[in-house]
Structure formats: C-alpha cells, structure tokens
Amino acid sequence: MLKNSVLFCLLSVFLFGCKSSSEKGIATVCLTHEEIKLSEMMVGVPGSIQRLGDGLLIMDLKSDSVFHYVDLKEKKYVGKFGAVGQGPDEFIHLGRLHPAQGKAVYGYDMSKLEMKVMTPDSSGIRIEKVRFDSSDRWAFDVIPYGQNRFVANGCFGDSMFAILDSLGNQVDLAGEYPYKDESEKTISAQNRALAYQGILRVTPKGRLAFATSMSKMLFLYDIQEDRLIQRKVIIDSYGEYKPDTSGGEGSYSVVHNGNLPYCYNDLSVTEDRIYALYSGRTYKEYGLAEFECAYIYVYDWEGNQQALYELDIPLLCFCVDEQARCIYGMANHPDPVLVRFPLP
C-alpha cells in the first residue's frame, strides 16, 4: 500500500556523504541550549514545532493527541489538542506544520487528503478544515499560498512540485526528480519520489525551499503568480537505494544503504535565510531511535552557505524566531524536552 511505503521510506532514509559545493570554509559556531521547563507537558515523539501566536505548537507522533500548545509569554503549558482518528476533526497521518506569519499554522493530512489550519483562541487553539479537495495520494505535503492556491511536493508525473487550485487541479509543475546516471533514470518516478523525500517550506513572499532527507540536496524556487521559477538547485550527493518489489505489482517502496549518512530532517525559512537541520549520522547508528540532528546549516536564497551551527544537544525538530533571535526545538534529554538556543 502507498501509505505503508511512504511511512517505510520515512523511517529508512540515508545519505551519500561528500564535500558540499556550497561550503566555503565557514567556521562552525557552537550554540548552547536553555531548557524551558514545563512539568505538565509530556510529549511522545515530537514531529514538528512552529510559532503560533504567543506560543509554540508542537506536533506529537505518538500520543492520543496530535498537538501540544505552550504559551511562551506566560511560560506555561496550555494543553493537548487534536485527536487521532477517522472523524471529521481528527487526524491520521499529518505531515509537517507550516507557519502563516505567526498567526496560524497549517498541516496536511496525507492519509485523509485534508488541509487543517490551527489558530489561537481563548481556550488554546482552534482547528478548522481548509477548503481544499484532492484525490492525489502522491502529494506528500501541501501548503496554502495566495488566493485559492496551494504549493505541493509529491510525485506529479515526473515533477517534484506543483501549484494546485482548491479543487486539487494542477496549475503548474516544476522540478524533475534527480538521478545521478542513466541507470537511476530508468527507475520509476514513483520510486525516485519515495527515495528523494524531504521537507518543503514556503515564505509569505513566495520563496520555496525543499531539502532532501536521504541525500544532501537543496532546491530553491520563486513563486511568480501561478508559476514555479527555479532559482537554484544544489546537489552535493545522491541517494543510494534499490526499488523494493516485494509488495507486488502496483506497490512502490525503496531500500536505502544504511551505511550512508542521514541529512536534512527539518527546515525553517525567512525571506532572507534558510535554516536546515542536519544529521550526518548513519541509519545504522540510529537504530530504532529518532533522527536527532546536531547541526544547522544556514543558506541565503542564492544557495550560498552563510553559517554552520553545532548544537550542544541534538534536536528532533526546530523553528527559528529571528525577531526574538533564537531557535526553539524539541530534544531527547532523555525524554522529549523543549529547548531554546539564543542566536549569535
């Protein structure tokens, strides 16, 4: 089944390491964390974190509730929100959380093919369905952008990205799935899509960034009206994988080389900078543990590396608040905790 294949791929991604063409001898800056102690908050497996109003919305991958909300202004844990299930206000397989200028957070449920928006209210957060209809199960993540327009990452023919209307129709396509040689080019687009999954982010002014998790690749685009215009693509390494045909005809899955390093696990973007959470450890080193990452690469929108931060405690997910000059993230210590890193 597609759902199982996607989940399998997300749990088995590894990278081929090599010197990056975007690195220019940038000195590594070490960042020291501060723990935000919230005794009432108990998170199972953190999957994503974003600023929302005066606080932080944290997605939980292993709990009876999907979200935790923390009020930073009052320095308190507000509570849990969003149930797991098939109901109209429930979630099955939510992708990453996407910020909307701090006033709302969006999330796409790739199993229910639904878009939800979370906004603050007097009780904590309000969850509402966004008007978006789609039957495309090869859309891995979808982000609202502009008037009745959505930007998506997935497998759209042989394209990585699409602009969709509110009915799920494809308005524009861009980005061919990568291949390092003619042999990889013969692999189906569906399997290459599973092999080169990653993190999609879009800024309010229409800049798109996508970083792969199984290889060190960064894709930068501009959204101009209803068009996706390539700005720059940086390919520092390709994946090393084989299609898995054990599921039979019509199923898609890939098996990666577990000795290669895992790369980007999360992205946070502004109109000036791209912050990419990076691991470098192999899947075999992780075993059954979550993908903790101890480095953050910082790029400008021309793809030039601007900084490299080494974290004193590795993160599972993060977001950057440039206005407050800090990074928020979730780390295992040994159980999940909320931490803050002041930016230099």
Side-chain angles (χ1 to χ4, degrees):
M1 299 291 293
L2 172 60
K3 177 183 174 183
N4 294 332
S5 298
V6 173
L7 289 173
F8 173 81
C9 183
L10 288 171
L11 293 173
S12 59
V13 286
F14 329 91
L15 306 174
F16 178 81
C18 64
K19 186 174 181 181
S20 168
S21 60
S22 58
E23 296 175 8
K24 298 180 180 179
I26 301 293
T28 302
V29 176
C30 297
L31 301 184
T32 303
H33 80 283
E34 306 164 354
E35 184 176 339
I36 301 175
K37 297 184 181 296
L38 300 163
S39 58
E40 296 180 1
M41 185 174 75
M42 298 182 65
V43 181
V45 177
S48 191
I49 181 172
Q50 292 295 339
R51 280 301 308 262
L52 177 61
D54 291 328
L56 291 164
L57 189 65
I58 302 162
M59 186 173 76
D60 196 335
L61 300 177
K62 193 176 181 181
S63 176
D64 56 353
S65 296
V66 181
F67 306 116
H68 302 268
Y69 188 52
V70 176
D71 188 323
L72 293 173
K73 190 175 182 180
E74 299 294 332
K75 297 182 179 178
K76 69 175 184 179
Y77 176 63
V78 178
K80 302 187 292 184
F81 302 87
V84 177
Q86 297 278 359
D89 297 323
E90 297 175 338
F91 301 84
I92 298 178
H93 184 191
L94 192 64
R96 299 181 185 268
L97 301 178
H98 298 284
Q101 297 178 296
K103 300 177 181 178
V105 168
Y106 291 101
Y108 178 68
D109 192 321
M110 64 181 297
S111 292
K112 298 180 73 174
L113 308 179
E114 291 180 353
M115 173 74 60
K116 299 287 181 62
V117 58
M118 283 63 70
T119 53
D121 66 12
S122 58
S123 63
I125 62 169
R126 182 173 65 255
I127 303 171
E128 297 175 293
K129 184 178 177 180
V130 177
R131 184 175 179 180
F132 174 71
D133 298 316
S134 177
S135 60
D136 194 341
R137 293 194 173 274
W138 282 96
F140 301 150
D141 204 356
V142 181
I143 305 173
Y145 178 79
Q147 185 67 28
N148 296 320
R149 290 292 184 264
F150 300 81
V151 181
N153 163 243
C155 183
F156 310 101
D158 195 31
S159 297
M160 301 173 66
F161 311 112
I163 292 179
L164 308 174
D165 64 18
S166 60
L167 298 177
N169 299 314
Q170 298 172 8
V171 178
D172 190 37
L173 300 175
E176 183 181 13
Y177 270 100
Y179 52 87
K180 63 186 172 184
D181 52 31
E182 290 300 314
S183 177
E184 187 176 8
K185 187 177 181 180
T186 64
I187 295 175
S188 70
Q190 290 87 347
N191 276 321
R192 278 189 286 144
L194 293 176
Y196 290 107
Q197 290 186 78
I199 312 100
L200 178 71
R201 298 291 184 202
V202 177
T203 73
K205 292 185 179 180
R207 288 181 165 177
L208 179 153
F210 179 81
T212 54
S213 298
M214 71 296 292
S215 55
K216 198 174 181 188
M217 298 182 180
L218 182 63
F219 298 80
L220 306 178
Y221 281 77
D222 286 332
I223 305 172
Q224 297 180 3
E225 296 180 349
D226 281 344
R227 296 291 308 282
L228 287 163
I229 309 299
Q230 181 179 301
R231 176 182 285 267
K232 191 164 187 178
V233 175
I234 301 170
I235 297 180
D236 293 324
S237 66
Y238 287 87
E240 190 173 301
Y241 61 94
K242 293 181 179 179
D244 178 9
T245 59
S246 61
E249 186 178 354
S251 67
Y252 297 93
S253 184
V254 293
V255 178
H256 294 265
N257 183 342
N259 295 313
L260 302 180
Y262 184 81
C263 289
Y264 299 121
N265 197 49
D266 206 354
L267 279 181
S268 185
V269 298
T270 70
E271 301 297 347
D272 298 315
R273 294 287 183 268
I274 301 156
Y275 298 81
L277 187 63
Y278 179 85
S279 170
R281 295 174 61 194
T282 69
Y283 180 76
K284 287 187 176 179
E285 289 179 282
Y286 281 113
L288 298 177
E290 295 90 12
F291 295 127
E292 300 175 319
C293 302
Y295 298 92
I296 295 177
Y297 281 86
V298 184
Y299 301 97
D300 63 21
W301 283 94
E302 300 303 322
N304 302 309
Q305 186 181 335
Q306 301 296 306
L308 175 60
Y309 299 137
E310 183 175 1
L311 311 175
D312 69 335
I313 183 171
L315 295 178
L316 299 165
C317 54
F318 82 126
C319 65
V320 176
D321 187 336
E322 285 195 332
Q323 185 174 357
R325 297 299 303 163
C326 70
I327 295 168
Y328 294 104
M330 294 297 297
N332 285 328
H333 193 54
D335 297 320
V337 295
L338 177 62
V339 296
R340 177 184 182 274
F341 292 87
L343 280 170

